[in-house]
Amino acid sequence: MSTGEEVKAVHLPAPRSSPENDEPEPEPRRGARTPRWLVPAVVAAVLALALGGAGLLFRVGELTNSPAAGNRALTDTEATTRVIGDVSSALGKVFSYAPTNTGATRQSARELLAGKAARQYGELFGQVEKRAAEQKLTLTTHVVRAGVTRLTDRGAHLLVFLDQVAERRGKPPVTTAAQLSVTAELSDGRWQIVDITSR
């Protein structure tokens, strides 16, 4: 070849592959791949949220079905005030007497006490009547404070603080403080005391 001749480049077409060997071209990447360590962390977070939600629902169910949910002393002011008034009045009547008028006290006890409280009172009041007559003893009971610890449609539990003033003829009065746990039941529209425990 002489140096004077021009060299022409020949461009050959690229070989075509057969249809059987055709492979789809990979799609272009649209973003960065999620790191492998992140997948377990996301799954753990979702599980924690699900378990936390289930636990919260369980606690709500427990509170709804707990005894506290049925305690009207926490929600019903009118009913609470009524039972406190009825029980306080009853205690004042059955624990107050004069040496010449114990019959009125006994009659009040028949109307205002029931169950265990009525039985205990009946057993003890005979001794009280005898002592009141012998010692010319007058006892006056005042409820100082009372609170309802539990209240349902049919029953109530109360904590009662009271003062009792005992007077004997010719002697100065003596005041004694007492604390009682009282159980009452609603019967025929009125509260009756069914149990009294000294605290």
Side-chain angles (χ1 to χ4, degrees), residues 56-132:
L56 184 60
L57 288 174
F58 179 73
R59 285 292 297 144
V60 169
E62 274 189 334
L63 291 174
T64 303
N65 297 323
S66 69
N71 188 358
R72 292 174 58 197
L74 304 174
T75 57
D76 194 334
T77 305
E78 183 177 347
T80 302
T81 302
R82 182 185 171 196
V83 70
I84 288 175
D86 287 357
V87 168
S88 297
S89 175
L91 290 173
K93 290 177 180 178
V94 300
F95 289 129
S96 297
Y97 52 82
T100 58
N101 195 21
T102 55
T105 303
R106 186 182 286 278
Q107 181 59 36
S108 294
R110 289 194 190 102
E111 297 171 0
L112 302 171
L113 303 181
K116 182 180 177 182
R119 291 191 299 272
Q120 291 175 331
Y121 191 90
E123 292 169 1
L124 296 175
F125 195 70
Q127 301 173 26
V128 171
E129 284 183 303
K130 184 178 179 181
R131 190 177 65 173

